[in-house]
Each structure stands twice: as C-alpha cells, then as structure tokens.
C-alpha cells in the first residue's frame, strides 16, 4: 500500500509517516478540522529505491567527505539524477494517483510536503527535508513526490548527516499530500501565553494564505483572549499592506497589495474568534500542553493546518511568581557589593562572572585555561577563541568596544571587561575575582551573583515567540562561525554582517602564508566552511558576507606577519577593498569561495565590499566578481559605507549596480571625526551620533531610496536606541545588531514604526 490516510494514523506512526504526517493524523483523529489528505509512506520511498535497484548506488554515491565541497556537490547531483531519473514502479504510481482521485474529484489542488522520519535530529539540521509544493495538480503530483524524496539528498542534508554521524541509509522520508485550503484569512494561535504560560489565547491574523504571517512578511492583527471566559481582552489592528494568494491562472502563490479599504479592517469576526478559541482549548486539552497552531479560514470554516508544542514557556515562571509573593523579603543569593573594586575598564560583554584568574601571555599554551576560569590577557587573539569559549569571563588590558575581545566575547555570551590598562600585570594567576561586564568593574573574591547558572542562550533566545513584526528588518552581526547558532535563535531576519577576517585570522597565518603552506584550495575551503556554517544556521534567511578587511597591524601578529608592509597608520592604510584590488590573485580565492557556495545552492549568501570610496572601486570589484564566475546580476551584492567619500559618492555607486549599502559606523565615525576608534585618549570624542555622521547617513539613505538601493547599518551603533530612531525615521531598510541586542532592537524598531504610523493618521 503506497499511502496511509490521515485519519488512519497518529503520533505512534512516526516511522511510517514522519513528523508532519503523524501530527496531522493525530489532530484528525482528535476530531479537529484538518484538511483531508494522505501520506506517501516512508516504506513507499524504500520500495521505490529497492524495487528499482538504485539503493546501493545511491548510498554509495552520497558517502563522501563532508568537508570536500566539490565531492558533496557531485554526490547530491548524482543522488538527484538517480531519484528523478528513475521511473517509478507502476503499482506505486497508481496507488498515489488513486488516493489523489479519492481526495477530490480528480481536480483538487493539493499541497505536497516532505515529512522527516528522523525525529531525533533537530529540524534545522534537516532543512533538506523541508520541501513544500503548493497548489499541485494531478499532472505534477508524482514528480513532486519524487522531488520530496530527492530533498533527502541536498548538499546540506548530506552534510548534516555526515557531521552528525548518521548513516544515509537509515534515514527515510514520507510525503504528505493534503487538499489545499484557499484561505481567505489565516494566521497562528498560541493556546497559552507563550512566555508566561498564562491561560490567554493569542491569535495573529492576516488576509490570504498563511505564508505571509508565518514568514513575517506582513504585520498581522493581534487578539488576546481569556481562555477561560473567552472574553476578548485586547485587539490590535495592523496595517496589512500585502497578502499572499493563489494566482487563479497559474495556481502559483503570489503576493499582492491588499485593497485600500481592507488594509486597516479587523480580519476576524467575533464568531471566528470564538471558534478559534474553542479549537485552541480542544487541541491543548488533547495534547495536555500549550500549542502553537497554524490555521486558515475558507468559506466560513476554520481549518487547522499544523500544531506544535510551545517550547518557550519557562519552567520557572510559576515559581518566580510564587517567591515574589512569599512576603519574607529575604533573598538567599543577595549580591554583596562591598568587595573591593580592584580596577575598572569598559564593560564590553554583559553579565557577571567569578573565577580564578588565568594570565595568558602571547606564547602561553591555551590549554592552561580551564572551564570556568577568567582569562586575563593584554589583548585576545583569534587563536584564543576555543579557550574563550571555555572561560567564565574575559579581562583585557587593551582594546575598545569594537576590539576582537569585545566582539568575540559578546558573540559567545561570555562576560568581558576590556581596556583595564594593567590587569595582566596587576592580577595574579589563581587569584579569584569577579568581573561585571555591564559596569566594567573587577572586584576581589567571589561576589555572589543574583543569577543562577546561566545558559549562554538565555540573553538571546526570544522569551516571547510572538516576535514583533517590523517593516524594517532586524538582522544580526556575526564574526565567528561558533556564534552562528546563538545568532540564529534570536529570530533575527538574517545576518547583516558576517566578517570573514576571523575565519582567516583563526588559522593564525596571513592569507599569503596560508596559501603558500597549504595551497589555494585549502584556503578557499577554509572560507567556504566558515560561511557555510552560518549560512546553514540561517537558511533561507539572507547572510551578508563581507570580503576580507583586516588592517596590517592585525595581520602582523600572525605567521607570515613579518612580510606585511610597515604602516605608520594602519587604520588609514592597506585594508579592505584597497588591499583586495591590489592583490587580485589572492582576492580571486575569496570570490571562488562565493562561487562554490552559490554552486552548492546557498542562494541566501550575499556579498559586501568593505572600505570602498567611489564607483571606481565598485566597478573594479564587480569585474573581479564576474571574472570569478559569479554573475552580479543574479546575486545580491553591495558595499559598506565607512568613509565620508563613499557616502558622498553613493549615487555613482548605485549606478554601478550595487543592491545595498550598509553603514559601518565604527569606521564612518572615526573617518568623519578624525578619531581613531582604538585610541583610548580620544575615546570620549568617538560619537556615532555626531550631527556630521548623521547627516552623511541621512543623505545616503535618501539617495539610495531614490535609486532603489537597500540601506542598512552594521556598525555597533545599530544597537543604540537613538541611532535606531534616527534610521527608522529616515527610512533605512534594515538594522543589524549585536547578538545580545537583537531582541531590544526589534522592540525599539516596532515602537518607532508605530509612532510613525500614528503621526501619519493624526
Ligand atoms: C564598521 O566599520 O562599522 C564595521 C562594521 O566594520 P568593522 O568594525 O569590521 O571595521
Ligand atoms: Mg569597518
């Protein structure tokens, strides 16, 4: 039997029908209104590969070294050829089509979705199995089922199984075929408050198909309903500019503008809210845990499309509330603030940490840093990253808020104080200290912290999965691939800046030396790997990768550094696109890494050129991109705005074809104000909100808007509320923030956008 009907299966049938199929079957069985459908079982996929005899060749083809991207690409291609190019046995084809005919009258539009059976692998790792085809007819059905099967062997899926040590031949795939609901309205519903767990039902609703709400491309209406009494506590009507719907001619899903009179109309009627609340209670009762539900309304009927447990409700939310009301006023872990402050620096990464000091010198072995130690060093270097991950905290003598130590510790979620001046000389190995990464203090001894053991994801994981929907995208900056996961769980709309410097610096060699010792191919693969880690975490959210930009004084510390030019002022020297255009052979390897990634299907990767001054720089870079086999017309590429010249020449750069311009305010501020960003003597003059800097930014945004070029910020200032207010008011397209600031930035952006809307109607 090629298929099982949804009303025949439930949660116990995961192995046969996969996660999606089991969950839909379970809902159907519970009497909830699920659109009818069937599952082409995992066993059917097995029969297909076994009966046709392609199984052995298939598994042999995909057994490759996952670090070899060329081999990976070939493996995926071969697997796809085998599956798509092999005729499906007649009995299987007939079984699928007969089920389809039973579903409708032979004319139904169906949704075809892959349904993974490897439950113990996180979904994200199985992105290859996320294939979904909407509005499919009889004619294309079997082909689409095969495409779902083939999605088991995308490069990303193969890569992940290899990395996780899963055998390719034990992973199966089922395919759900379900009648399409031509939704007039749709959205999501939380059956309990997603962060407090309170008995409140939260509904988000928009016009048309649900993709718009789920992907966050439209701000939905929001309804808060008391689950017990069904009283509607709060209604927030959003301005719904766009909607998704089925093109009546082609059957494809298209986005279109919402009719003027419906934009600000309330989507759900009272009786529809009532019906949703009823279903919400029913589904939560059925599972016994709060659920996150996708729903749609068609011809007055409410359908449930999917239900998953809400995983974000914190276990302790109940007990915290209890202790707050116990009235004793006694807290056990009261912080004592009387320990002596030994020294101060800049609070570079928030949090409080205590532990024994480990003084790390340039030549020291890093394995002397143990779990829970406090690293104390003159300045961190890229090869310290593994030790920084183990450490409880980091203290440096040198460096500002944009130094290596500050950026990396923030991304790792490790508290840090930088720029103390003398910590590595004054503190002693083994001495126990407490650092406060907010206040920038180092105190003697262990100062009990208010917080219990913290999870490094605590500060970034959104407490409330109802992410504020903002028209301005909020992205995140990443410098080390190790931080990719932390960055992705913030719910950011993508990566606004991925610095490749750290991938290259972590080899501890200059690019030239690395290429000399290991060959160009290994250098290219080093870059491919680093970018791939981040692109995987975020797929399909965009990841903007910046080409190499390290000043010669940073390269000087590495092997091969002795060959670097000696510069009087490296900040004004041989860095960014200048160096790349001057050494096109080395640059070509970086561009080759992009070409390989695009070839591997990473269509979410974007390219950004640093420290450009004018259209001449842009045109030269663009030419090299083309020479490297990357088509600039097809890919999203752009520039950093880091020098006043680049801001003033942005119109010419727009004409040269850039898709986006991103403000690097760390550099734009230093070059506009003539204040070295690393020079403590003038740190008080480093002001990203200086009227001169803002004027350059404002005018650039205006020019870019006129030319259809997206604008963004990826300097540190993108995390500052004042800058956010300024940029959103000027019409910036996106803001990229530090990992730990993403959540606050999302809320600040939303606040400013709502103010703008209010102002426009008043
Ligand atoms: C900037 O200049 O603002 C920027 C983001 O680049 P970097 O800090 O790497 O120079
Ligand atoms: Mg810069």
């Amino acid at each position: 039997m090629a298929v099982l009907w949804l009303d025949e299966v439930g949660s116990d049938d995961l192995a046969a029908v996969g996660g999606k199929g089991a969950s839909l079957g379970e809902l159907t069985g519970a009497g909830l209104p699920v659109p009818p459908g069937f599952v082409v079982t995992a066993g059917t996929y097995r029969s297909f590969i076994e009966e046709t005899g392609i199984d052995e060749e298939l598994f042999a083809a995909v057994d490759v070294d996952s670090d070899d991207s060329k081999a990976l690409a070939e493996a995926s291609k071969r697997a796809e050829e085998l599956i798509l190019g092999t005729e499906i046995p007649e009995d299987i084809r007939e079984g699928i089509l007969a089920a389809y005919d039973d579903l409708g009258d032979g004319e139904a539009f169906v949704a075809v979705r892959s349904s993974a059976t490897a439950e113990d692998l996180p979904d994200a790792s199985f992105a290859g199995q996320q294939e979904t085809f909407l509005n499919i007819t009889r004619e294309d059905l079997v082909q689409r089922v095969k495409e779902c099967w083939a999605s088991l062997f995308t490069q990303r899926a193969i890569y992940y199984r290899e990395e996780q040590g899963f055998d390719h031949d034990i992973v199966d795939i089922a395919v759900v075929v379900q009648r399409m609901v031509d939704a007039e309205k749709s959205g999501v519903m939380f059956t309990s408050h997603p962060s407090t767990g309170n008995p409140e039902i939260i509904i988000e609703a928009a016009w048309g198909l649900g993709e718009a709400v789920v992907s966050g491309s439209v701000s939905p209406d929001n309804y808060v309903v008391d689950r017990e009494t069904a009283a509607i506590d709060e209604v927030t009507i959003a301005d719904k500019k766009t909607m998704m719907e089925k093109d009546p001619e082609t059957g494809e899903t298209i986005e279109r503008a919402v009719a003027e009179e419906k934009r600000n109309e309330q989507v759900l009627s009272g009786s529809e809210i009532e019906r949703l609340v009823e279903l919400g209670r029913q589904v939560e009762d059925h599972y016994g845990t709060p659920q996150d539900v996708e729903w749609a309304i068609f011809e007055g009927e409410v359908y449930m499309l999917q239900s998953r447990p809400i995983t974000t409700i914190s276990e302790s939310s109940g007990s915290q509330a209890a202790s707050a009301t116990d009235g004793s006023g006694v807290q056990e872990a009261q912080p004592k603030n009387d320990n002596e402050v030994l020294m101060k620096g800049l609070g570079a990464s928030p949090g409080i940490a205590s532990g024994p000091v480990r003084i790390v010198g340039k030549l020291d072995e890093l394995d002397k840093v143990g779990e829970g130690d406090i690293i104390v060093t003159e300045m961190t270097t890229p090869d310290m990253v593994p030790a920084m991950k183990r450490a409880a905290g980091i203290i440096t003598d040198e460096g500002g808020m944009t130094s290596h130590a500050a950026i990396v510790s923030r991304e790792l979620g490790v508290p840090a104080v930088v720029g103390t001046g003398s910590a590595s000389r004054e503190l002693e190995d083994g001495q126990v200290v407490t650092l406060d990464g907010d206040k920038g203090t180092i105190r003697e001894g262990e100062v009990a912290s208010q917080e219990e053991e913290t999870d490094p994801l605590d500060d970034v994981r959104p407490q409330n999965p109802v992410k504020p929907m903002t028209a301005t995208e909020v992205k995140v900056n990443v410098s080390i691939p190790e931080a990719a996961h932390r960055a992705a769980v913030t719910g950011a709309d993508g990566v606004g800046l991925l610095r490749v410097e750290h991938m290259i610096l972590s080899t501890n060699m200059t690019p030239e030396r690395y290429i000399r010792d290991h060959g160009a191919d290994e250098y290219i693969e080093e870059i491919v790997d680093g970018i791939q880690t981040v692109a995987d975490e975020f797929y399909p959210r965009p990841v903007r990768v910046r080409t190499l930009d390290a000043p010669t004084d940073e390269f000087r510390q590495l092997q091969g550094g002795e060959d670097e030019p000696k510069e009087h002022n490296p900040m004004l020297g041989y860095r960014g696109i200048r160096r790349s255009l001057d050494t096109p052979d080395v640059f070509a390897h970086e561009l080759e890494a992009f070409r390989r990634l695009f070839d591997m299907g990473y269509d979410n990767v974007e390219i950004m050129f640093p420290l450009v001054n004018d259209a001449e720089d842009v045109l030269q870079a663009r030419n090299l991109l083309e020479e490297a086999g990357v088509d600039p017309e097809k890919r999203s590429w752009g520039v950093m705005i880091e020098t006043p010249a680049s801001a003033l020449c942005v119109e010419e750069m727009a004409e040269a074809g850039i898709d986006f311009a991103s403000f690097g305010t760390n550099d734009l501020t230093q070059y506009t104000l003539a204040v070295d960003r690393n020079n403590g003597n003038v740190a008080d003059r480093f002001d990203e909100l200086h009227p001169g800097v803002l004027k350059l930014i404002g005018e650039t945004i205006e020019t870019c808007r006129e030319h259809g070029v997206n604008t963004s910020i990826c300097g540190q200032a993108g995390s500052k509320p004042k800058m956010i207010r300024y940029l959103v008011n000027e019409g910036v397209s996106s803001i990229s923030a530090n990992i730990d600031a993403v959540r606050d930035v999302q809320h600040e952006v939303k606040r400013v956008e709502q103010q703008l809307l209010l102002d426009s109607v008043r």
Side-chain angles (χ1 to χ4, degrees):
M1 194 173 34
V3 312
L4 287 172
W5 289 89
L6 287 182
D7 57 11
E8 300 175 297
V9 299
S11 344
D12 297 338
D13 301 300
L14 196 111
V17 299
K20 225 169 267 158
S23 152
L24 289 169
E26 185 71 21
L27 292 172
T28 308
L32 288 154
V34 175
F38 57 86
V39 186
V40 179
T41 61
T44 304
Y45 154 75
R46 270 283 142 181
S47 314
F48 164 68
I49 56 171
E50 282 166 13
E51 279 176 36
T52 57
I54 60 171
D55 51 344
E56 272 173 34
E57 189 180 347
L58 182 63
F59 297 131
V62 295
D63 186 14
V64 289
D65 172 6
S66 58
D67 286 328
D68 180 346
S69 56
K70 247 191 253 155
L72 204 56
E74 275 160 24
S76 171
K77 192 155 158 266
R78 182 70 196 124
E80 190 178 289
E81 280 166 4
L82 276 170
I83 292 177
L84 298 183
T86 302
E87 196 69 32
I88 197 165
E90 203 44 38
D91 57 327
I92 299 183
R93 168 190 297 277
E94 275 171 15
I96 295 173
L97 290 177
Y100 171 87
D101 291 336
D102 283 348
L103 190 60
D105 34 22
E107 287 178 21
F109 281 102
V110 289
V112 179
R113 297 189 160 96
S114 50
S115 179
T117 59
E119 190 199 23
D120 43 355
L121 280 185
D123 250 6
S125 317
F126 255 80
Q129 295 184 9
Q130 302 296 312
E131 206 67 91
T132 289
F133 303 101
L134 300 179
N135 297 310
I136 300 306
T137 54
R138 191 175 204 277
E139 207 183 340
D140 297 327
L141 177 59
V142 173
Q143 177 64 19
R144 295 297 189 227
V145 170
K146 282 168 86 180
E147 282 171 36
C148 285
W149 290 342
S151 75
L152 203 48
F153 300 100
T154 60
Q155 292 186 45
R156 306 179 56 240
I158 300 174
Y159 175 81
Y160 262 108
R161 283 197 296 274
E162 290 280 340
E163 291 281 296
Q164 314 248 359
F166 269 77
D167 279 342
H168 295 290
D169 58 357
I170 60 157
V171 182
D172 282 338
I173 188 161
V175 182
V176 173
V177 179
Q178 205 180 10
R179 214 183 156 118
M180 284 291 299
V181 175
D182 244 338
E184 291 141 11
K185 314 169 176 187
S186 54
V188 296
M189 161 166 69
F190 297 100
T191 63
S192 288
H193 192 288
S195 51
T196 62
N198 288 342
E200 280 170 330
I201 290 191
I202 296 179
I203 302 170
E204 297 201 322
W207 303 115
L209 297 172
E211 280 76 7
V213 180
V214 177
S215 71
S217 68
V218 62
S219 309
D221 286 358
N222 185 287
Y223 309 80
V224 180
V225 188
D226 186 310
R227 197 177 59 221
E228 251 82 276
T229 63
I232 300 172
D233 290 337
E234 235 180 276
V235 176
T236 314
I237 314 268
D239 179 9
K240 299 160 288 286
K241 296 192 187 75
T242 56
M243 62 187 284
M244 305 283 221
E245 64 176 17
K246 182 174 78 183
D247 184 328
E249 314 254 294
T250 63
E252 275 169 29
T253 305
I254 50 165
E255 185 181 302
R256 74 165 174 85
V258 171
E260 194 59 37
E261 70 280 8
K262 290 184 89 176
R263 275 177 51 165
N264 292 295
E265 191 184 305
Q266 177 169 335
V267 172
L268 292 176
S269 68
S271 60
E272 287 166 340
I273 295 174
E274 248 172 60
R275 174 70 178 139
L276 276 164
V277 168
E278 190 186 325
L279 294 176
R281 286 180 187 147
Q282 210 178 326
V283 71
E284 182 166 324
D285 282 351
H286 177 75
Y287 283 109
T289 55
Q291 299 287 303
D292 165 359
V293 173
E294 279 173 40
W295 55 267
I297 296 179
F298 173 57
E299 295 184 338
E301 283 297 315
V302 180
Y303 292 93
M304 286 187 51
L305 307 181
Q306 183 164 332
S307 183
R308 284 175 301 220
I310 303 178
T311 49
T312 50
I313 296 177
S314 99
E315 300 243 330
S316 58
S317 42
S319 59
Q320 272 167 10
S323 71
T325 54
D326 80 353
S328 68
V330 178
Q331 278 187 9
E332 274 180 45
Q334 257 309 353
K336 289 207 307 267
N337 284 320
D338 49 4
N339 294 54
E340 190 196 350
V341 172
L342 296 172
M343 60 185 70
K344 285 188 116 174
L346 293 169
S349 174
I352 295 173
S354 302
V357 163
R358 287 286 164 255
I359 310 271
V360 178
K362 281 216 167 67
L363 302 171
D364 278 332
E365 292 296 322
L366 286 161
D367 40 12
K368 81 178 214 182
V369 177
E371 204 72 49
D373 288 351
I374 308 280
I375 294 184
V376 178
T377 180
E378 214 172 292
M379 186 56 204
T380 62
T381 51
D383 56 331
M384 283 186 199
V385 171
M388 290 169 80
K389 275 208 280 197
R390 285 196 296 276
I394 292 156
I395 302 172
T396 69
D397 297 351
E398 293 166 13
M401 296 297 280
T402 63
S403 61
H404 178 268
I407 291 173
V408 172
S409 50
R410 237 181 344 252
E411 292 194 0
L412 292 173
V414 179
V417 175
V418 303
T420 58
S422 55
S424 73
R425 291 187 301 275
E426 286 184 23
L427 299 178
E428 281 169 29
D429 235 2
Q431 179 183 2
V432 174
V433 297
T434 298
L435 67 92
D436 183 329
D438 294 286
K439 300 197 183 74
T441 55
I442 318 290
R443 280 175 285 169
E444 177 73 50
E446 185 170 343
V447 184
S449 137
Q450 262 166 314
E451 296 154 48
E452 290 294 302
E453 261 307 271
T454 53
D455 179 332
L457 292 177
D458 276 355
D459 61 331
V460 295
R461 198 187 273 130
Q463 299 298 308
N464 185 339
V466 189
K467 162 181 145 194
M469 286 307 165
T470 54
T472 312
E473 289 181 308
V474 178
K475 299 185 181 174
V476 61
N477 296 337
V478 179
S479 297
I480 50 172
E482 288 91 336
H485 182 63
R486 256 190 114 237
V489 299
T490 61
D493 294 314
V495 174
L497 166 64
L498 172 58
R499 294 178 166 102
V500 297
E501 291 81 80
H502 296 264
M503 299 169 198
I504 293 169
L505 294 174
S506 66
T507 65
N508 224 13
M509 293 186 189
T510 62
E512 285 81 359
R513 176 60 56 88
Y514 192 87
I515 294 165
R516 192 196 77 185
D517 290 1
H518 296 274
D521 204 60
E522 236 176 87
Y523 176 69
I524 297 166
E525 282 301 309
E526 193 75 44
I527 302 171
V528 167
D529 279 354
I531 299 176
Q532 191 180 2
T533 304
V534 183
D536 265 321
E537 279 287 353
F538 277 83
Y539 197 87
R541 291 177 277 174
V543 174
R544 199 165 275 178
V545 186
R546 183 177 72 183
T547 59
L548 190 61
D549 178 16
T552 47
D553 53 338
E554 279 183 31
F555 278 146
R556 181 170 303 287
Q557 308 175 14
L558 308 175
Q559 292 173 42
E562 63 280 9
D563 299 333
E564 288 292 305
K566 289 198 181 57
E567 295 189 303
H568 176 61
N569 191 339
M571 275 301 182
L572 298 178
Y574 197 51
R575 58 173 285 211
I577 201 71
R578 310 169 178 181
R579 182 181 182 126
S580 301
L581 295 179
D582 195 52
T583 49
D585 296 347
V586 181
F587 190 43
H589 301 319
E590 251 177 275
L591 300 176
E592 165 65 9
F594 284 104
R595 196 198 60 75
R596 288 190 191 173
L597 285 157
F598 291 135
D599 224 33
M600 288 158 77
Y602 288 93
D603 49 9
N604 59 331
V605 169
E606 305 179 341
I607 307 170
M608 178 153 71
F609 298 122
L611 221 74
V612 299
N613 265 340
D614 46 43
E616 183 55 33
D617 283 342
V618 171
L619 287 169
Q620 281 191 39
R622 188 195 148 110
N623 280 344
L624 294 175
L625 202 56
E626 262 177 329
E627 277 173 29
V630 174
D631 182 352
E633 297 291 331
K634 277 211 203 124
R635 303 294 171 189
S636 176
W637 63 283
V639 295
M640 301 273 294
I641 301 293
E642 287 164 301
T643 67
S646 64
L648 297 168
C649 296
V650 76
E651 181 151 24
E652 292 78 8
M653 295 200 279
E655 280 153 12
I658 56 169
D659 296 306
F660 58 82
S662 182
F663 300 106
T665 41
N666 307 340
D667 279 319
L668 186 59
T669 305
Q670 89 165 342
Y671 297 134
T672 304
L673 304 180
V675 173
D676 180 341
R677 60 194 261 190
N678 287 342
N679 182 341
N681 296 327
V682 285
D684 59 333
R685 289 190 157 262
F686 188 84
D687 177 13
E688 295 128 316
L689 297 160
H690 187 284
V693 178
L694 292 185
K695 194 162 172 196
L696 285 169
I697 292 178
E699 285 171 8
T700 304
I701 294 178
E702 192 182 330
T703 310
C704 285
R705 281 167 65 109
E706 285 162 13
H707 287 78
V709 169
N710 273 313
T711 48
S712 184
I713 182 171
C714 57
Q716 303 281 358
S719 303
K720 294 189 172 173
K722 267 199 186 146
M723 182 60 97
I724 296 167
R725 286 197 282 276
Y726 178 77
L727 292 170
V728 175
N729 276 305
E730 294 295 310
V732 79
S733 328
S734 67
I735 289 179
S736 192
N738 299 331
I739 295 181
D740 52 315
V742 169
R743 198 164 11 132
D744 289 343
V745 174
Q746 286 166 342
H747 284 280
E748 188 60 33
V749 167
K750 172 137 188 173
R751 201 171 7 248
V752 183
E753 289 179 352
Q754 283 180 332
Q755 189 62 48
L756 276 171
L757 276 174
L758 269 179
D759 290 347
S760 72
V761 295
R762 272 177 186 153

